[in-house]
Amino acid sequence: MAPLLTLMILKGKTTTTERMLYYSGHTRRIGGEIELLIPILRQSVTYNDVDDGSTVTDFLPAERARGITIQSAAITFHWPPRLTHDDGSPSVHSSPSTSRPLTGSLATNVTTSHTINLIDTPGHADFTFEVLRSLRVLDGAVCILDGVAGVEAQTEKVWHQANNYRIPRIIYVNKLDRDGAAFGATVKKIATRLHGYPAVCQIPWWEGGRGRFIGVGDVVNLRGLKWEEGGDGKATTTYDLQELAEVEKSLYEELRHARVALVELLTDFDEAMVEEFLQYDSDHLAIPGQKIAKSLRRCLLASGSARLIPILAGASFKNIGVQPLLDAVNDLLPNPTESPDPEISLGATKTILKGLPGATTVQESTSQPAKMKGRNSDSFTTKRSTGGARILDCCALAFKVVNDPRRGVLVYVRVYSGVINRSTILFNTSLQVSERAPRLLEMHASEAIEVESIPTGQIGVIVGLKHARTGDTLVSYPGAKLKTVPPAPLNVLQLRPIDVPPPVFFASVEPESSSAEKQVRETLELLLREDPSLQVRIDGDSGQTLLSGMGELHLEIAHDRLVNDFKAKASMGRIEIGYRECILSPSSQETRMFDRDVAGRKGKAGCSACVAPSTAEAVNTSHSTENTDIASRDGNLITVSFPTLSPSGRPKDSSTPPLPSHLSLSAIRTALINGASAALARGPKHSFPMHSTRVTLTLDPSEHTFGTDSTLAALTSAARLATKAALSSAAQKGGTVLMEPVMNVVVSVDEASLGAVVQDISSVRGGHITSLDDSSSEIADPRGEDLPLINVNKVYAPPDPFGTTLGSGDQGTGTSNMPRSITAKVPLKEMVGYMKHLRSLTGGRGTFLMSVDRFERMGSMREKLVLAQMRGLQM
């Protein structure tokens, strides 16, 4: 098996992805024809370029119409390109001049091909969930920056999300061919905004020192790479250091400075580099490039929080720098053998997958000595844990679901253990159902190749699963059958779930006629299965169907897909704000019994519940204990208590009856939490979802269970009824208050527009300005890490020949064009339609990013105003 890497392109830079596909032999021309590597029958589909609105990875009609990436696209290719296809026929790029790496860092004459799973993600803030679920299954990532704009607010947000998963990353500074490009200033921005030490591995080659961008200086191998102007990027000229001294003296001098800075930085992070430095008599230039590359790799893999960040340069649209970027992916980013073992939970116990008896994980082959992974790395095999009898054949995470008009429902999975074979029976531990995997695919954006299996570490697609959703864990075990449940602990094994951010906008969806209601309902179910960041609820007063999402564009795209892709006969109302409701006082304990037939089967169970106000700090810091389990759901805390049972589920004394034999403690816990969550979805007074509420559920087997009549569905219903009664009691006792989403807004404007925008935010929109800065960001790391600031004066960055517009020390551009960053807290209601207004204030140059900061209680006057506006009244 060829070495495998799974990486993601952060910020959705589709142009770079298209070039990668071209140079790897996947397309016949740039932005052109994708050639699927299918034995016997080879299929071809023609695409144009990104700016034409038609690309390989942006294949949805809405993506092509808007020229943006809306959903992540997965594609598998090989780098360096393979000489032949699997059927033995020559590949597109099988000529000797293009079948080997163009500018390999470790060895330019080695042709071992790596398999790369690439995911191109959206850059718009409304589609953050697409990035989150892709981050969950990655081994490494490439963050692509605009060399003119530098580090933007959305870049910081995605970067810190990647920190949460400790994903090794490299940065590619793109668009250096554009006027105003400032590589050096961007490097310094990386240090101050992303809180990492930039390891400059390439520097731009400006013609004559101040002319157009024509290539890069390779700091690792001390050479210059020059691309032919107007070509397709294949024709390059390589200059060693001595030749550069004659051809481009300024690049020669700067390359020497860059090598010294790179070696000095590596010695701060890598003890092995200190030894190499001393071995070569403290000569920075004498250390071989192979040693530098290996040191970079060690530092990158050891620094999951991206404290050291390799930096590369290029201009993808001009076909400059993409092949060295692909070489860096092979040389620096990890394959599945080097990624941390995935976290799993077995009920209330958290562990790693490798510790499960019989689990297979990707391991380096033991037949040869371990080597650093470059293009000459060893292949890898699977190795089974010997901690006990084999109980697990495979374990995978479903991270995306797509409804394909030709193939049906496609479930994207990342296999963490074992192999998924065609027709394998998979047990969904999240839904407790089994399904057969009838067909398996290897995806190439909208096209696919049918395969027989998906091995460990690989990303693939299962066709035909009827129940699997985003975040579900799929396992296979010896002797699996469709109507059987796996033995403990496999039946409760859960990979780390994918967090779904709360929606903050909603709009009504109305069928055009009563006959279209069923079709609209079924279509909405398909849409929600594809995108869990969308939510649907029925308004109890009006009976309207309300669709909630992450932003205005998110809901607009959802409506387009609903009507144009799924052909639903429905219309969407005006976009509104998703408020929350909060109780002001605690309730007394309420006990409710559920006793009725469900689907012809008797169901009877009881539950006690009480509710109380909570705080955001309590939601974030509360943890389960020995006698209670605590779950956080949409800003609420749900505590489940079994006072008469031990942690294992057995009675504490002989007077307490045991749980019904057909129910496990973990299944009961999940059922009760689901019931409370259902009750919290609708507030007692204004019908908005509850927030900042703590629910305490108590179950006593002697009072609340009734043998075989106590089903999981009955327990869920009992918990819902008890929680609903407790909410009503609290509302009657102390009332409720509305909460509105307050956004963390980062506005980027030039100096000339700063005053007008600050005035608009603080006076007109009632926002609170938290900072005015041109070099730092207030977007916090989701892990809450207090990362130290980096002294930018000690960061190496090559000089920018044309002056820079990215920092406060800019020269020659005038202060009126200096970019400034405004960070503020603003109610979401005041941000609806803000982009149009911002463009009018800034002459079309302003941009902004916003994310939910918190939900904040309204004052009584503002609550009355909001309620009146919602009811169509005039105040």
Side-chain angles (χ1 to χ4, degrees), residues 125-126 128 157 500-507 532-535 537 547-555 574-580 634 688-689 691 739-744 826-832 850-856:
D126 279 13
T128 295
K157 181 178 179 180
V500 181
V504 289
F505 286 91
F506 72 89
S533 61
L534 291 169
Q535 293 184 12
R537 66 183 178 90
L547 179 66
S548 304
M550 299 296 298
E552 296 173 86
L553 181 60
H554 190 201
L555 287 178
R574 188 179 64 179
I575 294 176
E576 303 286 354
I577 307 300
Y579 296 104
R580 299 292 187 268
D634 298 327
F688 287 108
H691 195 277
M739 304 181 74
E740 65 177 336
V742 175
M743 311 303 288
N744 183 35
V826 189
L828 176 59
K829 185 177 185 299
E830 307 300 332
M831 296 301 294
V832 175
M850 65 178 181
S851 58
V852 178
D853 181 61
R854 65 186 185 277
F855 279 86
E856 192 175 73

Side-chain angles (χ1 to χ4, degrees), residues 471-482:
D472 285 354
T473 300
L474 307 175
V475 299
S476 179
Y477 56 98
K481 296 181 180 179
L482 286 175

Side-chain angles (χ1 to χ4, degrees), residues 723-788:
T723 304
K724 186 176 180 180
L727 289 172
S728 298
S729 172
Q732 293 174 0
K733 182 179 178 182
T736 67
V737 64
L738 282 187
M739 304 181 74
E740 65 177 336
V742 175
M743 311 303 288
N744 183 35
V745 182
V746 181
V747 186
S748 298
V749 298
D750 54 30
E751 183 76 27
S753 306
L754 181 67
V757 175
V758 169
Q759 161 75 14
D760 179 69
I761 291 175
S762 58
S763 300
V764 179
R765 302 182 185 277
H768 172 63
I769 305 293
T770 58
S771 77
L772 294 173
D773 205 351
D774 59 348
S775 62
S776 64
S777 170
E778 295 296 322
I779 298 180
D781 190 327
R783 292 179 300 160
E785 292 185 346
D786 186 16
L787 297 176

Side-chain angles (χ1 to χ4, degrees), residues 171-229:
I171 286 181
Y172 173 67
V173 182
N174 193 20
K175 301 184 181 180
L176 292 177
D177 60 307
R178 294 192 174 185
D179 293 340
F183 180 82
T186 300
V187 169
K188 291 184 179 293
K189 288 290 184 181
I190 290 168
T192 57
R193 292 197 170 192
L194 303 184
H195 305 288
Y197 290 93
V200 179
C201 301
Q202 293 175 355
I203 59 175
W205 183 347
W206 312 102
E207 188 175 38
R210 295 182 63 85
R212 62 186 178 85
F213 178 63
I214 59 174
V216 298
D218 184 351
V219 181
V220 174
N221 293 295
L222 291 176
R223 61 185 177 180
L225 302 171
K226 183 179 178 181
W227 274 259
E228 178 183 319
E229 182 180 6

Side-chain angles (χ1 to χ4, degrees), residues 4 33 75 239 256 290 377 487-488 490 618 627 815:
L4 169 71
E33 188 178 77
I75 192 163
Y239 301 88
R256 291 168 59 92
Q290 183 177 359
S377 70
L490 283 192
N627 294 320
T815 58

